[in-house]
Amino acid sequence: MGQLLLFRPRPKDDELLSSWLVRLAWANLTKVHPFTRRLFDGDRTLWQIDLDRSCPEKYLERLSNATGVPVARVSETTLRGLGGVLFEDSESCVNTQWLLEIKKRGRARLGYAQQYCPLCLSEDPEPYFRRMWRLAFSVVCPKHRVVMLDACPVCRSCVAFHTADYGDWLYRHPMNLARCVSCGADLRTLSRDDLQAAPDALCGFVGQLQDILTLDESSAPREDVAIPLVLYKGLHVLASAMASMGATAKLRDVIARRHGLLPLSPAFGRCRGRFENLRVGDRFLLLSYVQDLFMDWPVGFVSLAKQIRLSSSYFQRYRATIPYWVEQPIRWALYGKHYSPSEMEWAAAAEWLRRSGRTVNPNTVRKALGVAYKQKAKRAS
């Protein structure tokens, strides 16, 4: 397909590549998979990958030529277009921080990585899926102040709009991008009363994180952490600590008890410590914990960490660096390495004790230097 398409709807604001491709196919009265095969050199495996994360560059150029949309704008529909802001450009498309991973078996989706807001879909003249909805921290809709959904509210199946015309011999008009492919339910039917309300503070926090991705750095939650990539990397360290099943899980438990929040779902234990592997309900709770720590950083964090005797070593990452705004208070307040005085300090302390007329022994010298010493137990009278 080397010429321009007959009908060429442009990508909508923040639209995902997969959502735009489906709308392009249906606008040209063609089923999705025959359409993409003709457009992309007969590639039958295109929908077996997470297209929004790892679409080949040559296909983005082909799509640009077929629609007249600049390549730069086409790239903005992919999650890879967030590189350098949300995550480092050098990161692979697998296990990338903050990107929800769609688990697939052939064309079938097994994971719940496609979130959506029913109220946004109902307000769209033509429903479409946003790029922001594939980000792990987008647990609430800042516009409607409700918790996002990641499954059909009727049959609980994951969202797989690209398979809406599977099994049909011919294209059926009209097609609906907001229809559940498993049970046929309309994802837009839920009202505000049917959805879980989200706290204003968390909605504002998520809204700021989303606004920064549009290069509006003035919306950063804190002025002292204004560089987007540094901010997102640090927040991901905290989110990973909250999702951990190890020692840092104590932080999560303490905050939950303090706020009287609901427990996590039984499926939480299967996330393997990755925030991005969790369902939206669990991520909603954990992100509220992260926001609680971040807005009082580092005072509240240090206080809690000392309360549960958390060592800095639990935050160290193999082959990865921790941003300074996170690493500095952790190292300063939680670094538990035993202090070893020099020989000169030992001699000076012993001399000071002799001049003061006090007993000189290893224990009194240690006490004078302010390092660990053994305290004698008092005899019972």
Side-chain angles (χ1 to χ4, degrees), residues 269-287:
R270 297 195 295 269
C271 77
R272 297 181 180 179
R274 287 205 75 233
F275 184 77
E276 292 81 2
N277 289 348
L278 294 169
R279 294 287 300 273
V280 65
D282 289 334
R283 282 186 283 109
F284 165 73
L285 288 176
L286 295 188
L287 194 70

Side-chain angles (χ1 to χ4, degrees), residues 303-316:
S303 175
L304 286 177
K306 287 186 174 181
Q307 176 184 336
I308 61 178
R309 298 182 179 182
L310 197 62
S311 169
S312 63
S313 62
Y314 295 116
F315 290 88
Q316 302 303 316

Side-chain angles (χ1 to χ4, degrees), residues 47-324:
W47 292 97
Q48 295 180 19
I49 63 173
D50 188 347
L51 198 60
D52 300 312
R53 291 169 65 116
S54 52
C55 182
E57 288 291 340
K58 63 178 181 179
Y59 290 164
L60 298 181
E61 295 176 2
R62 186 71 55 81
L63 189 55
S64 173
N65 295 333
T67 59
V69 176
V71 175
R73 178 65 185 94
V74 175
S75 297
E76 289 175 359
T77 65
T78 67
L79 297 171
R80 192 167 51 198
L82 300 173
V85 181
L86 182 64
F87 52 86
E88 294 184 9
D89 281 321
S90 59
E91 291 188 26
S92 66
C93 292
V94 180
N95 294 337
T96 304
Q97 69 174 28
W98 296 122
L99 298 189
L100 296 175
E101 182 178 358
I102 290 180
K103 299 176 177 62
K104 301 175 74 71
R105 181 181 296 155
R107 296 176 181 175
R109 289 187 177 181
L110 305 177
Y112 294 87
Q114 182 59 72
Q115 305 175 119
Y116 67 96
C117 171
L119 302 182
C120 287
L121 291 176
S122 65
E123 290 179 356
D124 293 335
E126 182 181 9
Y128 70 97
F129 285 81
R130 280 73 162 165
R131 190 169 60 161
M132 291 293 175
W133 293 350
R134 284 291 306 277
L135 305 183
F137 60 71
S138 294
V139 295
V140 300
C141 175
K143 179 180 179 181
H144 297 104
R145 300 188 177 278
V146 294
V147 179
M148 301 282 282
L149 300 181
D150 61 0
C152 170
V154 177
C155 68
R156 306 302 178 188
S157 299
C158 62
V159 178
F161 52 82
H162 68 291
T163 63
D165 54 18
Y166 269 17
D168 296 336
W169 285 98
L170 298 172
Y171 169 79
R172 292 182 296 108
H173 183 78
M175 295 297 290
N176 181 7
L177 204 65
R179 183 176 70 90
C180 174
V181 299
S182 296
C183 69
D186 195 323
L187 303 179
R188 301 170 294 181
T189 55
L190 293 180
S191 66
R192 185 183 294 273
D193 294 336
D194 299 322
L195 300 170
Q196 180 182 349
D200 290 341
L202 186 59
C203 290
F205 182 60
V206 172
Q208 289 173 323
L209 295 181
Q210 292 180 350
D211 289 343
I212 298 173
L213 292 177
T214 63
L215 300 183
D216 180 15
E217 298 181 8
S218 62
S219 60
R222 290 177 55 140
E223 295 181 358
D224 54 340
V225 191
I227 302 175
L229 181 59
V230 174
L231 171 66
Y232 290 121
K233 288 187 69 175
L235 289 176
H236 191 261
V237 172
L238 300 182
S240 298
M242 292 298 166
S244 172
M245 300 299 291
T248 57
K250 297 177 184 178
L251 274 175
R252 177 180 70 236
D253 298 336
V254 169
I255 297 175
R257 287 197 299 268
R258 185 171 66 184
H259 292 282
L261 297 174
L262 295 173
L264 299 168
S265 71
F268 174 77
R270 297 195 295 269
C271 77
R272 297 181 180 179
R274 287 205 75 233
F275 184 77
E276 292 81 2
N277 289 348
L278 294 169
R279 294 287 300 273
V280 65
D282 289 334
R283 282 186 283 109
F284 165 73
L285 288 176
L286 295 188
L287 194 70
S288 66
Y289 302 168
V290 172
Q291 184 226 357
D292 184 72
L293 288 179
F294 179 71
M295 300 314 293
D296 191 29
W297 186 266
V299 178
F301 167 79
V302 170
S303 175
L304 286 177
K306 287 186 174 181
Q307 176 184 336
I308 61 178
R309 298 182 179 182
L310 197 62
S311 169
S312 63
S313 62
Y314 295 116
F315 290 88
Q316 302 303 316
R317 292 186 164 192
Y318 178 63
R319 291 184 179 177
T321 58
I322 298 178
Y324 178 77

